Amino acid sequence: MNPKVDYDVVVIGAGAAGLFAATESAQRGAKTLLLEKNRKAGIKILASGGTRCNVTSTLPIKELATWFGTKGGRFLRYGLHEFGPEDVRALLDHEGVATATYPLEKVFPKSGRADDVLQAFLSRFQRSGAELAIEEAVLDVDKVDSHFLLHTAKREIASQRIVVTVGGSSFPKTGTTGDGYPWLRKFGHKIVNPKPALVPLIVKAPWVRDLTGIAVEDVVVAAAGDHGKPLFSRRRPLLFTHRGLSGPGPMDISGHLDGA
């Protein structure tokens, strides 16, 4: 085991949030370490938007927040006002990555390359002076006196503060395997039971599967609750698949359905 190393801040998980958090921490003078269990940082960035990386939206903040439901939207609205879609585009532009708008309120890098977005985040990170340790998974986190003690396969790391940016459990191939939930429970945080969202819908009705491969470009997709009470609707493209419904419309409403 390597000797214990002390940091002001340790950020766990080098995705977009982790890279941003570690960069901000180091820029403000904190001795900062960013830990990543994968072989490289930003794997989910590279996979997003079909490898094109849909970085933000053109929607006004108030409307954008509603896409995350009542509770989620209320929570996110404060953050979006502090650093909104235009701030994201300005940051990328400053790093030499021009962006462009596309249908359905989407914003992508003009190059169509997710790697350009990742390199922009990495450039900011490297200039900040923060340290990056890859292929170093955090196994557990404890609180010892006024410090946090992080246990990895290589060492124990003491830090005044930790920032957990490991993601949820949505995409195990990229490393989001729910690692952070037990650590956060240990420190008294309430974990809302995660459920799939922004996913295709499984539909058992045979007629839906009979239409596999047919796409409808302009259709209203709606979800209804008890007694037919409307919950959510979106006017978006829809694709019939061998398992049910996919495309922007069904995926937008998936988070509003129990068992989606």
Side-chain angles (χ1 to χ4, degrees):
M1 300 287 287
N2 292 335
K4 184 185 299 183
V5 180
D6 290 310
Y7 290 89
D8 298 318
V9 177
V10 172
V11 181
I12 313 171
L19 285 165
F20 194 93
T23 299
E24 290 293 312
S25 172
Q27 286 178 344
R28 296 172 190 223
K31 184 180 180 182
T32 304
L33 172 67
L34 176 59
L35 292 169
E36 172 55 51
K37 69 179 181 180
N38 290 314
R39 292 184 297 106
K40 61 189 300 185
I43 287 180
K44 195 181 290 183
I45 295 175
L46 296 176
S48 65
T51 72
R52 293 170 57 212
C53 194
N54 44 331
V55 293
T56 189
S57 171
T58 61
L59 288 171
I61 289 173
K62 185 176 181 179
E63 184 177 353
L64 178 59
T66 66
W67 284 54
F68 297 89
T70 304
K71 292 182 180 179
R74 190 183 304 119
F75 174 78
L76 289 171
R77 192 177 300 134
Y78 300 103
L80 290 171
H81 277 293
E82 288 294 321
F83 196 86
E86 289 303 317
D87 298 306
V88 175
R89 298 184 72 176
L91 181 152
L92 291 172
D93 186 67
H94 184 266
E95 296 298 325
V97 180
T99 57
T101 61
Y102 290 83
L104 305 182
E105 300 89 27
K106 294 181 179 180
V107 178
F108 289 86
K110 280 187 177 179
S111 65
R113 288 170 41 88
D115 187 60
D116 291 347
V117 176
L118 175 56
Q119 293 308 315
F121 275 78
L122 287 173
S123 293
R124 294 182 71 249
F125 175 82
Q126 289 161 0
R127 293 198 305 269
S128 75
E131 299 176 37
L132 173 63
I134 59 172
E135 294 187 290
E136 187 166 356
V138 174
L139 306 178
D140 200 2
V141 182
D142 289 312
K143 187 74 180 294
V144 180
D145 297 324
S146 60
H147 290 72
F148 290 95
L149 191 61
L150 297 90
H151 308 273
T152 78
K154 300 179 180 179
R155 54 182 166 166
E156 290 185 341
I157 306 167
S159 180
Q160 293 281 350
R161 297 175 177 84
I162 61 172
V163 181
V164 180
T165 56
V166 296
S169 53
S170 60
F171 201 167
K173 288 183 179 180
T174 65
T176 51
T177 52
D179 299 356
Y181 296 138
W183 311 333
L184 297 172
R185 284 193 184 96
K186 181 187 296 187
F187 298 121
H189 291 282
K190 179 182 178 181
I191 306 299
V192 177
N193 189 37
K195 68 173 186 176
L198 201 62
V199 292
L201 303 179
I202 297 174
V203 181
K204 296 180 180 179
W207 70 268
V208 172
R209 301 185 185 192
D210 290 343
L211 298 176
T212 296
I214 295 177
V216 184
E217 287 300 314
D218 187 16
V219 63
V220 174
V221 183
D226 295 337
H227 310 296
K229 181 181 179 180
L231 297 175
F232 196 76
S233 67
R234 280 285 181 257
R235 189 165 189 153
R236 291 287 188 272
L238 173 151
L239 173 68
F240 291 94
T241 73
H242 68 288
R243 300 188 67 192
L245 302 173
S246 188
M251 294 179 76
D252 279 354
I253 71 168
S254 62
H256 296 262
L257 301 176
D258 289 334

